[in-house]
Amino acid sequence: MFQFRHLLSAGASLSLSLLAFPPVHAQAIRSTAEVPHSIISLAPAPRPQGQLLARNAKEATFEHVPSNYHVFAAATAGEDAGVETLRLNFAAETRLTKIQSKNKDFVVEAGGTCHEGNSYKSGDSCSVQVRFNPQGPGHRSGSLSIAHSAEVTPMFVGLTGNGYGPILSFTPSQIVTVPGTVSANVGTIKSATNLSVDGGDILYIPDVGNNLIKKIDSTGTIATVSPVFATPQSLVADSAGILYSANVPGSTYYFSIFFPWGVQSSYGTAYVSGSCTPSTPCPLSTVGLSQPANMSIDPYDNLFFEERTKGAAEMPVANMAGGSGNLNLWYLTNQFVYTSGSPASFAVDNSQNLFNFYSWGTSTCFLQAEPAYNAEYSPVAKRVAGAANCGFSGDGGLARSAEISSKVGQIAFDIAGNLYFADAGNQRIRRIDATTGIISTIAGNGTAGYAGDGSSATTANISNPTGVAVDSQGQVYILSSAPTAGTTQVVRKVNTLGYWNYGSQLIKATSAVKVFTVSNTGNSTMTLASAAALTGANASDFSIDPTTTNCVLTAGATLAAGQTCYIGIKFTPAAAGSRTANLTLMDNTVTGSNNIRLNGTGTLPLPTMTITAPATGATVKAGVATTFSVTVTSTSTTKPTGTVTFKVNGANVGSPVTLSSTGTASTTFTESSAATYTLSAVYSGDVNYSTVTVTKSQVVSAAVKAVSKVLVSRGLTAFASCGLPTLQVRVSTAAGDSPTGVVLLKSGNSTLNSATLTRGVASLAPGRLPVGAHSLVASYEGDSQHMPAVSAPITLVVPETQAACTAPRPPTRRLLGSR
């Protein structure tokens, strides 16, 4: 009959300390399970009691396991726990052909009397020596397969026991995609909503869209559970590895049990309303199920699930094995009806506390929790995470002060009792520390997508994460949308390799500190075998920051189960290029060590490079050689050296030019047509400075025409008492057009006068000149269409009479010079 559970008083504060309630049994049902008939049977053996079975009070006691199961004494993961003897009895003559363990938790050792190839008669018995070698903490489940000549189906022996060990989990850690869940960039899973992990670390996926239940073992191999489950909605494994699934082949939901020895039983009663309470439970065969979802099981094999009409239900399954026994359920009250419209988040922890997601529109979003007793008799729940507002905030603080989205998927727990949930609306997986109640993001950067594999999980893109599960190694599995659009999904895994990429950092300059969260997610104390050490190719580039580090990293330091500490690491690259290192913790975990992988790229400082010519706005003509020059400078006392490559529209202009001692380099270029060109200069860099590229746009005007003639003739004015005759200058081209612009009349380097051309002609007076002969030229300065030109020299003689300003003489018109 139902036993009393610990009651949380109404005035008590509910945080994740709920996870530490004293364990009691929801329904203490003991029975001898019906097992597959075989001529070989497992002889009864005493089962461990007390601390030999479970070192912590809230762990599985395996009281209900079927008669073909052997329960081992509790063992520490990775340590020699000795062997136990399993005795086999024979009811008929047969020959053993194969004795095989199904997983690494249970190892068949030499020394038994059962041997492959030996024959045994009716009434004989033999022994098998099996070592319990748990690969992780928590309840472990496995099996022996004993094939023999008398029967086609091997005899099944279930194996189970509690394992103990520390697990180090880092945030951030590396994220990868589980092989087999994606093919050619398309997910292999459809319309699934949740995941489940059993005591052998096998991951189960109720693949709704493909009407299958898939499983992935520790080797990464993906397979299908057989026989096939039709349209599985949700699945969970109990302490003996027995699977329970809610399924819907049509309008009727049914309940299915799959036993590790390959037997399936189903219960397909159509749903009818009933008043089902803990004191008066209803047989499942009379009421059926109404849209069950999110199955979850406690250590005592009491099954909980969401249910459309009442919100949630409870159903002990400890008396179920081999398809026999009665299934009775009762409904849970009040707090769970808010999710009944569309089954969403619901889970039970190891202390029989129930958690679910509550939302009201888009304004109120939070996770709430209550003991199972309250859910049955006194519906009082407390808020665990979220607030009156929906959104995203609060990482690094108390979960009760954080905001979560209006779309939340599966809830799961690790061995230490930390809570994980799929904050699907925020495209993140978040974690609530069981000891402190602090919330953090362990995967997802808030952007929907499929990117980031091989790097930090907290910087990765994930899309619509609905399912989450945690195995005994502390690895977190995420069910999310696949790389391409559509309904397909993949499973991604946050492994136990701490990971951070510091990106680009100037050499000899120190980065911002990256703080890693270090959590013991196992069920026993972690102890360092030696001091933590930075190792790898560039170990000296990384250093532990004492200000942000509170983990003790010396030999003998400990971290209790469920506890968290922090390690801050900074990056100071000594040289340019990729830089890598590992922070290695040698410890007493199953693997013997744990690592944080550190990556970064050292970069050289950038000098300042400026294009000095052609100047901004300078006129550049097609067909005319133009100077292209730069300066490369730095505020440092070390001057940049190296070369500069000049380019016009991406094409190199000559060979690279070596920088001068003052940091300058130049070349010339000539373009044949008018257009807008891109000028670029590429500095090669040196041992002290990085490469730099600068560009600018330059307009090159159309090519100018050559001037064929500049003619100077004597004007019509004769010598006057106060000056010389005016000179006429005519500028012409072969095309016959009239250049514009300015003409200068020059004597040597002196400009005597200037005038503007009008229809190609200008008149200039040389002014008063000394008596004697003078050589003069007319210099045409050019315009936008014509090149500059200079006349041939002309000689102008100033007579002595000019000095006395004599009477004017009749003008003489003659050509003085041309070119």
Side-chain angles (χ1 to χ4, degrees):
M1 193 61 190
F2 178 80
Q3 297 181 3
F4 179 77
R5 295 196 183 101
H6 187 86
L7 174 62
L8 177 70
S9 65
S13 172
L14 176 66
S15 68
L16 292 193
S17 59
L18 274 174
L19 311 183
F21 278 169
V24 287
H25 299 275
Q27 185 156 331
I29 299 175
R30 301 186 185 202
S31 67
T32 300
E34 181 179 326
V35 299
H37 175 72
S38 174
I39 65 170
I40 304 175
S41 61
L42 178 66
R47 294 180 177 178
Q49 300 296 319
Q51 284 288 308
L52 291 178
L53 179 67
R55 298 175 185 172
N56 297 329
K58 63 181 181 180
E59 289 162 345
T61 54
F62 309 108
E63 294 180 6
H64 69 283
V65 294
S67 59
N68 63 325
Y69 271 72
H70 180 86
V71 180
F72 286 79
T76 298
E79 296 184 4
D80 185 1
V83 298
E84 296 191 22
T85 300
L86 284 66
R87 184 160 295 278
L88 303 180
N89 295 329
F90 296 85
E93 184 174 353
T94 189
R95 179 173 57 86
L96 296 181
T97 58
K98 187 73 173 179
I99 302 174
Q100 181 181 13
S101 173
K102 293 295 186 180
N103 64 27
K104 296 179 181 179
D105 290 89
F106 305 92
V107 181
V108 178
E109 300 280 5
T113 60
C114 295
H115 299 290
E116 296 174 2
N118 283 6
S119 295
Y120 301 86
K121 296 179 181 180
S122 177
D124 284 350
S125 64
C126 66
S127 62
V128 179
Q129 299 285 90
V130 180
R131 183 184 306 278
F132 180 32
N133 182 29
Q135 299 300 294
H139 75 263
R140 316 301 296 172
S141 57
S143 65
L144 289 183
S145 174
I146 303 172
H148 58 102
S149 60
E151 297 171 323
V152 174
T153 303
M155 184 259 189
F156 176 92
V157 175
L159 307 172
T160 190
N162 282 315
Y164 291 86
I167 293 293
L168 281 191
S169 298
F170 301 106
T171 302
S173 281
Q174 187 183 59
I175 189 170
V176 296
T177 294
V178 175
T181 66
V182 65
S183 177
N185 223 34
V186 176
T188 61
I189 305 162
K190 296 180 180 178
S191 305
T193 59
N194 55 74
L195 304 170
S196 184
V197 175
D198 73 356
D201 285 336
I202 295 176
L203 177 71
Y204 291 97
I205 310 166
D207 191 347
V208 178
N210 290 311
N211 292 331
L212 299 170
I213 289 180
K214 295 176 179 176
K215 66 177 182 178
I216 302 174
D217 61 20
S218 58
T219 67
T221 303
I222 188 166
T224 300
V225 172
S226 181
V228 173
F229 286 64
T231 319
Q233 301 296 304
S234 182
L235 177 143
V236 72
D238 71 6
S239 59
I242 299 171
L243 303 182
Y244 303 90
S245 175
N247 313 272
V248 55
S251 59
T252 299
Y253 281 80
Y254 69 97
F255 182 69
S256 188
I257 304 173
F258 183 77
F259 299 89
W261 52 86
V263 175
Q264 181 182 18
S265 296
S266 300
Y267 301 81
T269 305
Y271 170 76
V272 295
S273 179
S275 176
C276 309
T277 66
S279 57
T280 58
C282 299
L284 178 63
S285 59
T286 64
V287 294
L289 300 175
S290 177
Q291 198 171 337
N294 294 291
M295 286 189 165
S296 188
I297 200 163
D298 69 12
Y300 318 107
D301 296 320
N302 297 295
L303 186 68
F304 298 84
F305 54 91
E306 284 193 309
E307 192 274 342
R308 179 172 58 183
T309 59
K310 300 294 184 180
E314 179 180 350
M315 181 163 61
V317 293
N319 62 334
M320 293 305 302
S324 67
N326 297 317
L327 286 169
N328 295 318
L329 66 79
W330 54 86
Y331 298 124
L332 305 176
T333 57
N334 193 36
Q335 304 302 325
F336 306 100
V337 299
Y338 300 109
T339 59
S340 62
S342 176
S345 307
F346 180 80
V348 60
D349 70 4
N350 280 349
S351 296
Q352 297 179 326
N353 300 300
L354 305 179
F355 294 76
N356 77 307
F357 172 62
Y358 172 93
S359 66
W360 184 260
T362 58
S363 60
T364 301
C365 301
F366 57 80
L367 298 179
Q368 61 182 6
E370 65 178 327
Y373 178 91
N374 285 26
E376 296 165 339
Y377 295 108
S378 178
V380 176
K382 297 291 184 180
R383 179 169 52 86
V384 174
N389 296 318
C390 304
F392 175 76
S393 69
D395 273 4
L398 291 176
R400 291 191 302 270
S401 300
E403 291 181 353
I404 62 178
S405 74
S406 59
K407 184 179 181 182
V408 171
Q410 192 173 7
I411 298 171
F413 300 90
D414 61 26
I415 298 297
N418 301 303
L419 183 152
Y420 301 76
F421 68 98
D423 195 346
N426 285 319
Q427 316 300 340
R428 289 175 167 91
I429 302 298
R430 300 174 80 178
R431 173 181 179 265
I432 303 175
D433 189 278
T435 302
T436 64
I438 291 175
I439 189 171
S440 59
T441 293
I442 67 158
N445 60 12
T447 300
Y450 182 86
D453 271 5
S455 191
S456 167
T458 54
T459 62
N461 294 353
I462 58 176
S463 180
N464 191 33
T466 55
V468 61
V470 189
D471 69 11
S472 70
Q473 310 304 310
Q475 300 181 120
V476 181
Y477 295 90
I478 303 167
L479 178 67
S480 60
S481 294
T484 55
T487 59
T488 63
Q489 298 160 294
V490 299
V491 176
R492 301 177 79 181
K493 178 174 69 176
V494 180
N495 60 33
T496 56
L497 175 65
Y499 192 96
W500 188 252
N501 191 322
Y502 287 81
S504 296
Q505 180 67 32
L506 285 176
I507 62 169
K508 302 177 183 178
T510 301
S511 71
V513 175
K514 176 59 188 176
V515 179
F516 290 83
T517 301
V518 184
S519 300
N520 183 349
T521 56
N523 58 5
S524 63
T525 299
M526 186 281 301
T527 303
L528 287 182
S530 60
L534 283 161
T535 62
N538 311 114
S540 60
D541 285 13
F542 299 87
S543 59
I544 295 173
D545 175 52
T547 303
T548 55
T549 298
N550 66 359
C551 293
V552 180
L553 301 176
T554 55
T558 61
L559 186 66
Q563 295 298 308
T564 294
C565 64
Y566 303 93
I567 300 175
I569 303 176
K570 49 192 176 182
F571 175 42
T572 309
S578 176
R579 316 295 288 176
T580 62
N582 291 305
L583 177 65
T584 301
L585 306 177
M586 304 300 295
D587 49 46
N588 62 331
T589 59
V590 174
T591 57
S593 66
N594 289 271
N595 292 280
I596 296 175
R597 184 166 298 167
L598 307 166
N599 297 280
T601 301
T603 60
L604 296 170
L606 296 173
T608 300
M609 183 161 66
T610 305
I611 296 176
T612 56
T616 301
T619 300
V620 174
K621 301 293 183 181
V624 178
T626 302
T627 299
F628 187 1
S629 60
V630 298
T631 60
V632 183
T633 59
S634 172
T635 56
S636 172
T637 55
T638 303
K639 295 180 180 180
T641 60
T643 62
V644 176
T645 299
F646 295 92
K647 299 174 182 286
V648 176
N649 281 353
N652 288 359
V653 178
S655 300
V657 179
T658 300
L659 279 177
S660 70
S661 60
T662 58
T664 63
S666 65
T667 188
T668 61
F669 69 95
T670 303
E671 292 301 324
S672 60
S673 59
T676 299
Y677 292 84
T678 298
L679 309 184
S680 57
V682 182
Y683 168 57
S684 64
D686 60 17
V687 294
N688 298 305
Y689 296 98
S690 179
T691 182
V692 177
T693 299
V694 294
T695 62
K696 69 175 294 185
S697 292
Q698 179 64 54
V699 176
V700 176
S701 301
V704 294
K705 300 174 184 177
V707 172
S708 59
K709 294 180 179 179
V710 178
L711 299 176
V712 182
S713 63
R714 181 86 50 86
L716 298 178
T717 305
F719 280 100
S721 60
C722 295
L724 296 173
T726 298
L727 302 178
Q728 186 181 72
V729 179
R730 182 179 298 275
V731 181
S732 61
T733 68
D737 58 335
S738 299
T740 61
V742 175
V743 177
L744 304 179
L745 183 62
K746 304 181 73 174
S747 174
N749 292 327
S750 301
T751 299
L752 304 178
N753 206 345
S754 65
T756 301
L757 289 172
T758 301
R759 291 190 293 275
V761 177
S763 297
L764 300 96
R768 186 175 295 277
L769 293 173
V771 173
H774 299 275
S775 179
L776 306 180
V777 296
S779 175
Y780 171 56
E781 298 299 288
D783 61 15
S784 62
Q785 301 298 319
H786 301 88
M787 297 176 64
V790 180
S791 72
I794 63 171
T795 300
L796 183 65
V797 178
V798 179
E800 292 182 1
T801 54
Q802 178 69 14
C805 293
T806 58
R809 297 176 181 176
T812 300
R813 186 181 183 91
R814 65 183 181 89
L815 185 64
L816 297 181
S818 66
R819 188 175 71 177

